[in-house]
């Protein structure tokens, strides 16, 4: 059995490719999205109970290898996976798509976390297109002088900025639609998620000459890493 810590497009692609090759795959989803896109193979939803719980699950299910294909900002599960893999001697691969790279016409600013992004925002614009996800929106809740166009997959909970409009949508997104939304804002705030699923907003910002405030990825444990699904498939098959 191969355990894929998923929730991303790459995780679904990996599960599909492995199942097609006759590999038994269990994909683990955190359960934070109400209607997730389910991958091929077996699926479990919910946490493991920290690194100790994950280690116990790996032993009980005789897992041959783990692929951490979670979102670049899913820092806790990445740490738990590394600790559980080390404790059980289970091979671990991190499937991590590369971060976005600025082009010559991009106007990008960087923040180390959402709190720093909130501190930098007042100097970049009064109307904000915020696409950092529904978790962590409280970092912007105190900015009463700014207006936010907030996009999430599922409805966020409080606290939220006083002046805001909520858009519920799921990628992939088209440049034309992103251009229309960004036309209502002065600045785009997002995380450096990488990949093509949500990159249309960066193209739209470039075309409109709008600044982008990106939150850097949190550090991850040092482990073997693949950048593409085919690389991850080869790694698994060699296990």
């Amino acid at each position: 059995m191969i355990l894929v810590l998923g929730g991303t497009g790459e995780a679904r692609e990996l599960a599909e490719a492995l199942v097609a090759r006759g590999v038994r795959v269990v994909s683990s989803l955190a359960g934070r999205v109400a209607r997730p896109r389910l991958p091929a193979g077996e699926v479990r939803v919910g946490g493991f109970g920290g690194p100790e719980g994950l280690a116990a699950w790996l032993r009980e299910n005789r897992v041959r290898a783990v692929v951490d294909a979670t979102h670049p900002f899913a820092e806790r599960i990445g740490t738990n996976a590394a600790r559980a893999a080390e404790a059980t001697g289970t091979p671990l691969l991190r499937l991590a798509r590369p971060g976005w790279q600025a082009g010559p016409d991009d106007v990008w600013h960087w923040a180390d976390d959402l709190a720093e992004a909130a501190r930098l925002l007042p100097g970049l614009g009064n109307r904000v297109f915020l696409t950092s996800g529904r978790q962590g929106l409280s970092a912007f809740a105190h900015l009463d002088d700014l207006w936010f166009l907030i996009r999430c997959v599922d409805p966020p909970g409080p606290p939220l900025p006083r002046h805001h409009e909520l858009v519920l949508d799921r990628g992939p997104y088209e440049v034309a639609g992103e251009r229309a939304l960004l036309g209502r804002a002065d600045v785009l705030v997002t995380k450096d998620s990488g990949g093509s699923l949500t990159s249309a907003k960066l193209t739209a910002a470039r075309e409109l000459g709008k600044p982008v405030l990106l939150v850097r990825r949190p550090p991850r444990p040092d482990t073997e890493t693949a950048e593409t699904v085919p690389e991850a498939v080869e790694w698994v098959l060699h296990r």
Side-chain angles (χ1 to χ4, degrees), residues 111-171:
D112 288 333
D113 51 33
L114 291 174
E116 184 179 14
R119 290 195 296 270
L120 295 174
L121 255 184
L124 296 175
N126 295 319
R127 299 175 65 82
V128 183
F129 183 27
L130 181 57
T131 67
S132 59
R134 65 188 177 96
Q135 294 185 347
L137 292 178
S138 59
F140 305 92
H142 66 287
L143 298 175
D144 293 340
D145 294 334
L146 306 184
W147 177 84
F148 290 84
L149 180 60
I150 301 173
R151 182 170 65 199
C152 302
V153 174
D154 294 320
L160 298 174
R162 176 180 298 179
H163 307 292
H164 76 271
E165 179 179 331
L166 188 61
V167 175
L168 299 181
D169 198 5
R170 187 197 302 263

Side-chain angles (χ1 to χ4, degrees), residues 5-230:
L5 303 174
T8 61
E10 290 86 358
R12 290 190 295 273
E13 290 178 28
L14 177 62
E16 182 178 2
L18 292 175
V19 169
R21 288 164 172 80
V23 178
R24 184 187 174 195
V25 176
V26 175
S27 295
S28 175
L29 307 180
R32 292 173 180 167
V33 176
R35 296 176 301 278
R37 294 171 177 164
L38 298 180
E42 303 170 46
V43 178
R44 71 174 303 280
V45 179
F48 291 93
E52 296 81 9
L54 177 53
W57 197 92
L58 295 178
R59 293 189 187 98
E60 291 168 7
N61 291 275
R62 299 182 180 180
V63 174
R64 298 284 299 276
V66 178
V67 180
D68 175 10
T70 55
H71 191 275
F73 285 81
E75 146 178 45
R76 180 180 299 175
I77 186 60
T79 300
N80 290 350
R83 291 178 178 172
E86 182 178 9
T88 58
T90 307
L92 170 66
L93 178 74
R94 169 72 182 141
L95 174 55
R97 56 182 179 257
W100 289 315
Q101 299 294 320
D105 296 324
D106 288 314
V107 183
W108 288 8
H109 306 266
W110 290 91
D112 288 333
D113 51 33
L114 291 174
E116 184 179 14
R119 290 195 296 270
L120 295 174
L121 255 184
L124 296 175
N126 295 319
R127 299 175 65 82
V128 183
F129 183 27
L130 181 57
T131 67
S132 59
R134 65 188 177 96
Q135 294 185 347
L137 292 178
S138 59
F140 305 92
H142 66 287
L143 298 175
D144 293 340
D145 294 334
L146 306 184
W147 177 84
F148 290 84
L149 180 60
I150 301 173
R151 182 170 65 199
C152 302
V153 174
D154 294 320
L160 298 174
R162 176 180 298 179
H163 307 292
H164 76 271
E165 179 179 331
L166 188 61
V167 175
L168 299 181
D169 198 5
R170 187 197 302 263
Y173 306 105
E174 301 293 334
V175 174
E178 300 295 74
R179 192 187 300 113
L181 292 172
L182 261 173
R184 305 174 57 195
D186 303 320
V187 57
L188 166 67
V189 178
T190 192
K191 294 177 176 178
D192 181 21
S193 300
S196 60
L197 191 67
T198 61
S199 63
K201 58 192 170 188
L202 301 176
T203 303
R206 183 186 313 122
E207 293 178 354
L208 294 172
K210 299 289 178 77
V212 180
L213 179 55
L214 289 113
V215 178
R216 291 186 178 91
R217 297 180 176 189
R220 286 290 194 122
D222 186 18
T223 187
E224 190 173 355
T225 302
E227 292 188 349
T228 68
V229 171

